[in-house]
Amino acid sequence: MRTVAVIGAGQMGTGIAQTVAQFGMKVLLADVDMARAEAGRAKIDQALGKLVGRGKITTDEATAALGRITAVPDYAPMIEAELIIEAATEKEEIKHRIFAEAGKVLAAGSIMASNTSSIPITRMAVSSPDPARFIGLHFFNPVPVMGLIEVIPGLATSKETVARTRTFAEGLSKQVVLAEDEPGFVVNRILLPMINEAVFVLGQGTASIPDIDKGCRLGLNHPMGPLELADFVGLVPASISSRCSTTPPATASTAPRRCW
Ligand code: NAD
């Protein structure tokens, strides 16, 4: 890939844009308007500055990476992108609109990807011009630091799209996990019940917050306890919790509302 477009210049979009630019590719960064796209680019400038301050990269490297990122007011310039990554707000109707609009400029052979955490890839692919070239590309927060990307083919995603997306992800020096298009994919599906359970352990008075986190850090060898991690990543998005049952199965305990 030489040019990658990122739609959504928030927490994830800026992290993705920064990482892609640091790996030598040109990035087109869009949001709802030019002001937000430029604010995203300014945030990346600050993040690169911090890396320079910590001696992780040189000033020249930071300047070059930022120079590869262009804030754009609309999707028209994305005609030159070989990959368009959507990282906008986790609302399905917003994403469908983005895929339809950006799909008008998606070049023949280019790939469209979503960074969604929870919305089915196959369902979103219907709004893209070619579901065979549509895929889930799930980065982890903070993107420049985390070493994993989940790649999630939808029902119609072609083998070629999977292979090219995987090559792109590995080219960012990340490890890839291939996941089926199921709720939460792999990591969040396992993580969210664990965070829920930590909240129940707290709610039932079994242990204190520091002890729950300490138990998991030392007993499970996790770098961060589940409650600390919940604060770090933010709590369950509505789109995931709405897919959780509010009625416990007959065999379950008397615990209140939770994901089964
Ligand atoms: P965020 O709120 O920080 O950023 C979302 C951005 O999308 C905002 O800048 C917003 O202005 C923009 N946006 C909204 N509507 C838009 C539109 N129509 N066109 C263009 N831009 C639009 O959210 P985030 O945390 O960066 O999450 C973005 C996506 O990444 C979501 O799908 C989320 O589920 C996923 N994700 C988040 C995390 C995380 O830890 N935050 C991790 C993995 C995946």
Side-chain angles (χ1 to χ4, degrees), residues 7-13 31-32 36 75 87-90 94-95 98 115-117 138-139 141 233:
I7 300 176
Q11 177 66 22
M12 295 304 288
D31 202 286
V32 286
R36 288 215 209 177
Y75 304 147
T89 308
E90 187 75 337
I94 289 180
K95 293 183 187 280
I98 289 173
N115 183 50
T116 183
S117 300
H138 186 226
F139 291 81
N141 184 27
V233 300

Side-chain angles (χ1 to χ4, degrees), residues 211-233:
D211 278 359
I212 292 167
D213 280 344
K214 192 200 286 177
C216 292
R217 274 200 317 273
L218 300 179
L220 300 175
N221 216 10
H222 290 181
M224 221 183 251
L227 297 172
E228 187 187 359
L229 184 61
D231 284 342
F232 194 75
V233 300

Side-chain angles (χ1 to χ4, degrees), residues 150-174:
E150 287 177 327
V151 170
I152 308 111
L155 207 56
T157 309
S158 71
K159 285 195 170 67
E160 188 197 340
T161 299
V162 176
R164 287 172 62 203
T165 305
R166 187 177 192 124
T167 303
F168 164 75
E170 288 170 348
L172 299 176
S173 215
K174 312 277 189 203

